[in-house]
Amino acid sequence: MVERDFLADFAALARIGATPRGGVHREAATAADGAARRWLCQLVRAARAADLVDAVGNMYGAAEWLPGAPYVLVGSHLDSQPTAGRFDGAYGGWRACTRWPPPGTPSPPARSRRGTTWPW
């Protein structure tokens, strides 16, 4: 991912629930939270990873480089505190679910990876 892609993606996520002063208002289980989750699912699919949601609403982007290998779980949340800054939780969840080499990459990592976001 090149810097301009990173900045464009982050700007797109920051527009979901944006406030007039440059922050976000994207509380869990709101329409803005749902829009951010749909946005992230599109990126996970574009990275050729599996998008999964469990029974309590945790989202996972799963890249299985080595079939049967254990997963390393990394992530954060996409929702925010009321009127929070643009980086509140979103950076970790977004990067965890989208920043990895695609399946089939030569010399894959020794562990598979799941990025996750969770509802607070």
Side-chain angles (χ1 to χ4, degrees):
M1 174 178 275
V2 294
E3 184 177 357
R4 73 178 170 274
D5 296 335
F6 165 81
L7 294 173
D9 283 349
F10 199 80
L13 179 57
R15 283 191 293 275
I16 301 171
T19 64
R21 295 181 61 197
V24 296
H25 188 88
R26 191 171 50 233
E27 293 183 69
T30 63
D33 182 44
R37 289 167 166 271
R38 288 187 297 278
W39 174 85
L40 183 61
C41 279
Q42 291 174 350
L43 288 185
V44 168
R45 291 175 189 149
R48 295 185 295 161
D51 60 310
L52 312 165
V53 179
D54 68 18
V56 296
N58 297 307
M59 288 179 56
Y60 302 92
E64 186 174 28
W65 292 297
L66 298 173
Y71 279 96
V72 173
L73 185 64
V74 292
S76 189
H77 55 100
L78 291 178
D79 62 329
S80 73
Q81 295 294 319
T83 63
R86 295 185 311 159
F87 298 96
D88 179 26
Y91 177 81
W94 161 61
R95 290 299 275 185
C97 287
T98 61
R99 185 67 179 132
W100 49 51
T105 298
S107 303
R111 302 233 184 254
S112 293
R113 179 163 138 191
R114 279 192 182 187
T116 184
T117 66
W118 48 82
W120 287 101

